[in-house]
Amino acid sequence: MKIIVCIKQVPDSAAKVVVEGGKVSWGDAPLVINPWDEYAVEAALQQKEALGGTVTAISIGGESAKEAIKHALAMGADDAILISDPALANLDTQAAAQVLAAAIRKAGGVDMAFFGRQAIDGDSGITPSQTARLLGWPALTLSAVIKVDGGNVRVERAIEEGRQIVTAKLPAVFSLVKDFGEPRYPSFMGIRKASRAEIPAWSLGDLGMVAPATVISWPEVMNPPSREVTCEVIGGGSPQEIAEKLADKILAEKIL
Amino acid sequence: MKTWVYVDHFKGQVLPASWEAIGAGKTLGTVTALVFGSGVEALAKTAFTYGADEVFLADDPALADYRSEAYASTLSSLAAEHKPDAILFPTTTRCREMAGMVAMDLKTGVMVDVTALELQGDRIVATRPIYAGKLLTKETCSASPQIATLRGRAFPKPAADTGKSGTPTKVAAKVEALTNVEGYATTEGGVSLIDAGVIVSGGRGVSNNPTLTPPGGLDEKQTEIWRAQQGFALVKDLAAVLGAAVGASRAAVDAGYVPYMHQVGQTGKVVSPDLYIACGISGAIQHLAGMRTSKMIVAINKDAEAPIFKVARYGVVGDLYQIIPALTAAFKSKLGK
Amino acid sequence: MDFDLTQEHTMVQKMVRDFATKEVAPVIKEFDRKQEAIPWMLPRMGELGILGICFPVCYGGQGMDYISLGLACEELEAVDTALRVVMSVHVGLCGMTLLQWGTEEQKQEFLIPLAKGEKFGCGAFTEPGMGSDLAAMRTHAKRDGNHYILNGEKMWISLASKADFAMITVRTDPNPARPTDGLTTFLVNLHSPGVTRGDIHGKLGVRAGSTGWINFQDVRVPVANRIGEEGEGFKITMSAFDSGRYTVGAGATGLIRAALESSVKYARERTTFGKPIGEHQMIQEKIAKMAQDHEIARLLYLQVGWMKNQGRRSTLQTTYCKKFATEASFEAANQAIQIHGAYGFSDEYDMERYLRNAKGAVIYEGSSEIQVLIQAGYALGERKDKALRCELPAYDAEAWQK
């Protein structure tokens, strides 16, 4: 089983993200692997343990994207590829999908392409299905359970109404939810391997493509409006008294 | 502007955010609603009552189950033929996928999970949250059609006017798909979080009642879960009286108190109810990302320093095991239930 | 001279930090209140390889260096001292002593399971009546054929009730020429007949840590378990402390950092007299001192780690590291409580736990006073390092990772 995991480097989820001079800034908070992609790497490693094969992490980015890649290697991915080109600076999802689809084709012989369900910076969650569309592969997004049987796969997808059970033929694109379990910590051996790893870089030329056009732009980024909320703490002599007061206040706001 | 609005449904039940999208589309110009499925003519009729000027209906047994390739291809081929200016979807699991694929087919882009729309000339400027809602961006799409998914409850739901009617235009379905749907497994029923007007949520604090004596033979983790279930029973009682959905923080889901489908937060469901009652939830940033746009937040927590109080309109610092049942009783009598 | 951590080191830091903050931090306060050790803590640390971090792979370890050990200790103690105490006794006093003084057979038989986290070790030197004055110990052993017979009691032993092995020093010669002669070190299997042990509660701090006493009644210890020769016990014990003390100093650095981070966060949020308290100078002074002390403590322990990597004797630098960091950590926790005001005085915040924990570190593993005497000895030229028969092996990335 040849498994590719597409990972993205994003600012730490605990970072204080603000708009400074019209641009997004996260101060000196570190860039880390997108937390959802960590779950995807974990799921990929579990599939490799069950079925045999290799796990390759790929990421679009510059030098700093190597952190995310090295984390995936330290968790146990076998190898990694960085897709790096100055023309790839500000990609929207459909441009990223074009690049990733080209990389997956170039890697060749891929059975499963894993994605985290969304990147916590853009929060779009559509790159996996867009990549699948370009490859002409089934898009098995929001997979919570994956069972491979020969060239077929059966997944349970997490939809609003519960689970949808779907079968398809491999190769396929998957986006993962959390049900596979907490991502494993890097092992010390993995850390050693990852820190020494030489990560090959592919440029657009290597992928045989020109820079894809971006159609989505962010002409304006703003801090959210500050919500002037002062909390009124309801006190009282007994829980019953407090509850009465609170219920009255809520009903007075006419939202029930 | 000619806007198409995709009406998302599951087993004939329309997700109300679809009607909100029709309302939003009407502010931009004319609206053509799209209804795909099998035996869904009634949904098409309902779309007129919510303001659709026109409805395209692709009714085909092969579309009985949502499958992304078939639905996306149906929409893409229609759009290639009719060239709408914009296509709006509600933000749902199906529609994120569909919108993404349609955008690839039509070589355009998607503005995902939009909370506000404005028109500047013939460009839609879509406001949407990024970085877990820490920031907002105003996005535009330079290609056509301009595609957006709209966050549930961010746009007003139009009033249904049963006087409005029309005849849906039947269109051909594209039926090729790469997947087979074997079935569905439902988890608990109840009000859907995304659509709920009122949500009562429980957090890790819900298991924190050491005075409760568990039945014998339970180990520590099982005892914790048993206590949490007693606590969540109180949360569910309050939700029932208020006609509310039950939510949970990630901490409660991770600890195994409730299934993941109840999780509210950046990595669960993002909700925008009118009233959000947070019980035993500290208010970590990931949770706030999922509910901070609620119109009113009420917090019940033993910890007066819990961050949740910073975003709450009303707060009670107290023992939820006492406060929640008292609140349930108070609402029961005041709402005449 | 490169003061930067390597990428390997930063990944080690992150891994240990993630483990401690995700798995231990949410529950530690509860266990500290109950004065109970977290039952899964040892097996989990063993599973993750943390208990064997700085031992060669061929001895069951993870093949990382001594700096990695220090970094791990800093991250562990930033969450709670109980986590770092495990490293001090299992890795420092027990495992590293085996690595330094054990025969090949002993390393094969004992170090491998310890490094793999299959068995747990501790260090048993202190007695009810003796701490700093090692030579005054009363636990003794007498040779009997292929065994020694051990009698006595050790007290204030971390992991006493949890460990499988204890690195223990006892008196074997009742009439030595000098008091520090006639001591011998053994690795005792604590499941042996005649061993009884119990937990000690009511400690001021490290309440989620297991501390106890071990009583030996005619315990038979095979000669094969004797570490080094008869009479080498004093030197071996001092080596053990060189290892243990390093982990204590590195760990205390983490405590300073935790106090600093908590204080900075609080200083930004809490307002008095119209501004965040972080804008008041007296608060700034406290925070600046914590930040400075953290930097100094960190540099000191990294230097010790580097020296150990080189195979150099680091006794003096280890005492600087231990004394400075532990005293600074106590003061940092003290000032952190002050910054937090009444909330610092309550166990709703962590600062009171850090202060209680920090007090132990200036007492154990060589009290501050002992550290001063050692330092004075070196400074005045009265104390010089003599080559030991066995030195702690230098770090060898190639050899250790086979």
Side-chain angles (χ1 to χ4, degrees):
Chain A
M1 205 52 54
K2 185 163 173 179
I3 307 174
I4 289 226
V5 186
C6 298
I7 62 181
K8 190 177 182 191
Q9 182 128 306
V10 296
D12 195 310
S13 64
K16 207 161 156 31
V17 188
V18 292
V19 177
E20 267 168 30
K23 283 193 155 27
V24 180
S25 157
W26 49 84
D28 53 9
L31 291 172
V32 298
I33 180 174
N34 178 40
W36 284 108
D37 298 346
E38 259 193 284
Y39 285 96
V41 173
E42 173 60 32
L45 292 171
Q46 288 181 17
Q47 291 300 312
K48 173 189 162 176
E49 279 157 8
L51 309 163
T54 58
V55 173
T56 303
I58 65 175
S59 188
I60 303 175
E63 269 303 299
S64 65
K66 286 191 175 165
E67 298 287 319
I69 288 184
K70 293 213 165 180
H71 186 86
L73 285 173
M75 282 174 72
D78 299 283
D79 45 37
I81 302 160
L82 177 68
I83 302 168
S84 187
D85 196 298
L88 293 176
N90 283 311
L91 293 176
D92 61 12
T93 61
Q94 50 84 28
Q98 290 179 54
V99 175
L100 292 171
I104 291 169
R105 277 192 214 104
K106 181 174 163 71
V110 175
D111 299 296
M112 301 164 96
F114 278 24
F115 287 75
R117 65 177 286 173
Q118 69 201 61
I120 61 167
D121 50 0
D123 277 331
S124 306
I126 61 175
T127 313
S129 55
Q130 294 188 313
T131 309
R133 191 63 164 175
L134 282 176
L135 289 169
W137 291 4
L140 301 170
T141 60
L142 306 173
S143 290
V145 178
I146 298 178
K147 278 238 160 51
V148 173
D149 183 12
N152 298 312
V153 66
R154 179 182 180 282
V155 301
E156 286 182 34
R157 300 182 54 230
I159 59 177
E160 285 88 350
E161 298 84 5
R163 294 277 174 90
Q164 183 192 43
I165 300 155
V166 172
T167 55
K169 282 191 162 18
L170 295 179
V173 169
F174 302 76
S175 80
L176 290 313
V177 294
K178 284 174 58 176
D179 292 53
F180 295 90
E182 284 301 299
R184 62 195 67 181
Y185 302 113
S187 66
F188 292 108
M189 191 149 82
I191 287 174
R192 273 204 302 278
K193 216 181 110 190
S195 64
R196 290 186 199 150
E198 286 292 331
I199 299 168
W202 289 353
S203 65
L204 283 170
D206 294 320
L207 294 175
M209 61 187 288
V210 295
T214 19
V215 294
I216 301 288
S217 39
W218 291 358
E220 208 184 318
V221 197
M222 311 90 78
N223 293 307
S226 58
R227 309 182 84 221
E228 288 309 315
V229 175
T230 29
C231 180
E232 184 180 330
V233 177
I234 314 261
S238 68
Q240 285 69 27
E241 197 188 317
I242 296 174
E244 288 281 325
K245 278 195 218 168
L246 179 58
D248 283 336
K249 295 248 179 209
I250 292 176
L251 288 168
E253 301 262 350
K254 291 196 197 315
I255 42 177
L256 279 175
Chain B
M1 181 160 255
K2 286 186 335 172
T3 305
W4 284 12
V5 176
Y6 177 78
V7 176
D8 190 33
H9 64 90
F10 180 73
K11 298 200 168 167
Q13 292 283 85
V14 172
L15 275 65
S18 313
W19 308 138
E20 293 161 17
I22 290 186
K26 291 290 281 183
T27 68
L28 302 173
T30 60
V31 167
T32 300
L34 307 165
V35 177
F36 301 168
S38 180
V40 287
E41 182 139 3
L43 272 52
K45 295 247 157 80
T46 312
F48 284 111
T49 68
Y50 280 103
D53 301 291
E54 185 186 21
V55 178
F56 284 162
L57 171 62
D59 201 310
D60 190 309
L63 297 184
D65 290 299
Y66 166 83
R67 287 179 301 165
S68 56
E69 298 87 17
Y71 276 55
S73 299
T74 304
L75 210 171
S76 297
S77 63
L78 279 171
E81 188 189 330
H82 296 273
K83 300 199 192 312
D85 299 309
I87 310 179
L88 302 181
F89 297 79
T91 307
T92 65
T93 56
R94 288 171 287 275
C95 292
R96 260 192 227 250
E97 204 177 61
M98 238 181 110
M101 290 186 168
V102 167
M104 296 315 281
D105 294 347
L106 302 176
K107 299 210 182 332
T108 179
V110 186
M111 298 169 283
V112 181
D113 207 25
V114 168
T115 51
L117 285 175
E118 23 175 310
L119 208 49
Q120 279 176 18
D122 62 355
R123 277 302 113 186
I124 293 176
V125 177
T127 303
R128 58 179 290 259
I130 50 173
Y131 291 94
K134 290 181 208 174
L135 295 180
L136 294 174
T137 177
K138 288 199 171 174
E139 274 188 6
T140 56
C141 176
S142 61
S144 194
Q146 301 168 61
I147 304 182
T149 78
L150 307 188
R151 180 177 281 197
R153 302 191 64 80
F155 295 86
K157 182 167 150 196
D161 181 352
T162 45
K164 293 212 184 120
S165 67
T167 312
T169 310
K170 297 217 160 93
V171 295
K174 299 277 181 209
V175 303
E176 290 82 33
L178 297 173
T179 57
N180 282 311
V181 176
E182 299 225 322
Y184 298 90
T186 43
T187 30
E188 296 155 23
V191 185
S192 143
L193 271 175
I194 307 256
D195 301 315
V198 183
I199 297 176
V200 185
S201 268
R204 217 155 194 279
V206 161
S207 75
N208 188 6
N209 188 352
T211 65
L212 281 184
T213 320
L218 295 184
D219 68 25
E220 202 156 321
K221 182 66 187 171
Q222 289 166 330
T223 299
E224 184 191 323
I225 294 186
W226 181 86
R227 288 202 175 110
Q229 283 164 351
Q230 309 315 304
F232 261 96
L234 300 179
V235 168
K236 285 176 190 166
D237 286 343
L238 178 56
V241 166
L242 297 175
V246 174
S249 70
R250 176 185 159 165
V253 171
D254 281 353
Y257 305 164
V258 277
Y260 176 57
M261 69 181 295
H262 292 282
Q263 185 171 320
V264 171
Q266 186 193 12
T267 54
K269 296 200 173 74
V270 174
V271 298
S272 232
D274 295 320
L275 172 62
Y276 190 90
I277 305 180
C279 311
I281 292 178
S282 67
I285 217 151
Q286 286 83 353
H287 187 76
L288 293 185
M291 42 65 80
R292 103 185 321 148
T293 57
S294 308
K295 291 211 176 50
M296 186 164 98
I297 297 167
V298 172
I300 304 169
N301 197 302
K302 266 169 82 165
D303 178 2
E305 291 295 298
I308 190 86
F309 287 114
K310 291 205 172 75
V311 296
R313 177 71 188 87
Y314 295 110
V316 177
V317 180
D319 182 356
L320 61 90
Y321 272 82
Q322 309 242 337
I323 303 290
I324 301 183
L327 202 53
T328 305
F331 274 118
K332 246 194 188 147
S333 73
K334 288 171 202 289
L335 294 173
K337 297 230 174 132
Chain C
M1 193 160 182
D2 190 349
F3 281 76
D4 282 329
L5 292 177
T6 64
Q7 181 158 67
E8 208 169 281
H9 287 143
T10 48
M11 289 173 94
V12 165
Q13 250 183 338
K14 179 174 176 358
M15 181 268 189
V16 178
R17 183 180 309 188
D18 284 347
F19 156 66
T21 51
K22 284 188 187 154
E23 295 187 34
V24 181
V27 297
I28 188 67
K29 189 181 295 189
E30 209 182 297
F31 282 94
D32 186 86
R33 274 193 191 139
K34 291 195 292 199
Q35 299 194 47
E36 265 173 42
I38 301 174
W40 43 262
M41 184 177 72
L42 279 174
R44 186 74 178 126
M45 287 170 78
E47 197 174 37
L48 293 173
I50 300 175
L51 296 183
I53 190 170
C54 59
F55 299 117
V57 170
C58 65
Y59 292 126
Q62 298 295 318
M64 308 303 268
D65 66 358
Y66 298 113
I67 290 179
S68 300
L69 171 63
L71 294 169
C73 288
E74 179 179 355
E75 296 308 325
L76 290 171
E77 188 149 4
V79 170
D80 190 81
T81 307
L83 286 169
R84 186 274 302 152
V85 165
V86 168
M87 302 300 277
S88 298
V89 309
H90 174 97
V91 177
L93 297 178
C94 193
M96 283 168 77
T97 306
L98 265 172
L99 184 68
Q100 182 172 353
W101 291 92
T103 61
E104 189 56 36
E105 292 76 32
Q106 287 172 334
K107 286 187 275 199
Q108 291 292 326
E109 186 175 350
F110 302 119
L111 184 53
I112 292 180
L114 284 170
K116 284 188 174 167
E118 288 165 3
K119 297 264 189 246
F120 306 117
C122 67
F125 309 105
T126 306
E127 297 184 354
M130 158 252 132
S132 301
D133 185 5
L134 201 68
M137 69 169 64
R138 306 190 60 144
T139 308
H140 56 275
K142 207 155 89 158
R143 182 83 183 240
D144 176 32
N146 267 338
H147 287 83
Y148 286 81
I149 306 192
L150 227 71
N151 275 285
E153 178 163 344
K154 294 291 186 185
M155 193 172 171
W156 305 112
I157 308 303
S158 300
L159 297 188
S161 63
K162 310 269 185 274
D164 300 291
F165 292 105
M167 186 67 68
I168 174 172
T169 299
V170 303
R171 180 159 289 294
T172 41
D173 180 353
N175 297 305
R178 290 172 307 178
T180 53
D181 292 340
L183 298 176
T184 307
T185 305
F186 297 88
L187 186 72
V188 176
N189 183 333
L190 295 175
H191 304 292
S192 309
V195 174
T196 48
R197 27 194 185 149
D199 287 320
I200 297 172
H201 289 108
K203 303 198 303 288
L204 175 64
V206 200
R207 290 183 164 184
S210 143
T211 312
W213 51 265
I214 310 177
N215 191 288
F216 302 90
Q217 278 242 304
D218 294 329
V219 178
R220 303 184 72 82
V221 181
V223 173
N225 285 39
R226 189 189 68 216
I227 307 294
E229 304 300 326
E230 273 193 37
E232 284 192 311
F234 188 80
K235 292 200 185 85
I236 295 176
T237 308
M238 292 301 116
S239 299
F241 290 153
D242 268 359
S243 301
R245 243 160 235 176
Y246 166 55
T247 66
V248 175
T253 309
L255 202 154
I256 301 172
R257 195 183 82 213
L260 173 63
E261 285 173 357
S262 190
S263 300
V264 165
K265 183 162 182 281
Y266 194 76
R268 285 179 177 154
E269 289 168 0
R270 174 82 178 193
T271 58
T272 50
F273 302 108
K275 37 183 162 169
I277 62 173
E279 291 180 25
H280 295 302
Q281 285 186 338
M282 288 168 87
I283 300 294
Q284 290 178 347
E285 181 180 28
K286 297 179 200 299
I287 288 180
K289 176 146 202 322
M290 280 182 219
Q292 179 185 248
D293 285 352
H294 175 256
E295 184 80 354
I296 297 170
R298 189 178 166 267
L299 286 167
L300 282 173
Y301 91 71
L302 288 176
Q303 179 180 234
V304 172
W306 176 81
M307 290 175 77
K308 290 193 194 301
N309 280 355
Q310 307 282 310
R312 289 203 225 169
R313 182 85 175 269
S314 54
T315 304
L316 176 59
Q317 289 74 16
T318 306
T319 70
Y320 290 144
C321 154
K322 195 264 182 188
K323 178 174 187 299
F324 179 83
T326 54
E327 291 186 350
S329 74
F330 184 71
E331 185 57 13
N334 182 29
Q335 293 303 336
I337 290 179
Q338 198 72 6
I339 290 172
H340 285 72
Y343 289 101
F345 201 60
S346 148
D347 74 358
E348 231 175 281
Y349 277 76
D350 294 328
M351 291 303 101
E352 61 82 31
R353 175 164 53 87
Y354 285 107
L355 182 69
R356 290 187 289 105
N357 286 349
K359 185 59 190 172
V362 297
I363 298 173
Y364 55 60
E365 206 77 36
S367 63
S368 279
E369 292 78 6
I370 288 288
Q371 308 302 325
V372 167
L373 296 180
I374 298 174
Q375 289 165 16
Y378 280 102
L380 289 166
E382 253 131 61
R383 185 178 169 130
K384 292 193 185 16
D385 285 335
K386 293 200 206 82
L388 296 170
R389 184 171 69 78
C390 302
E391 299 281 1
L392 185 70
Y395 179 63
D396 180 339
E398 278 242 13
W400 282 35
Q401 286 163 21
K402 290 225 180 71

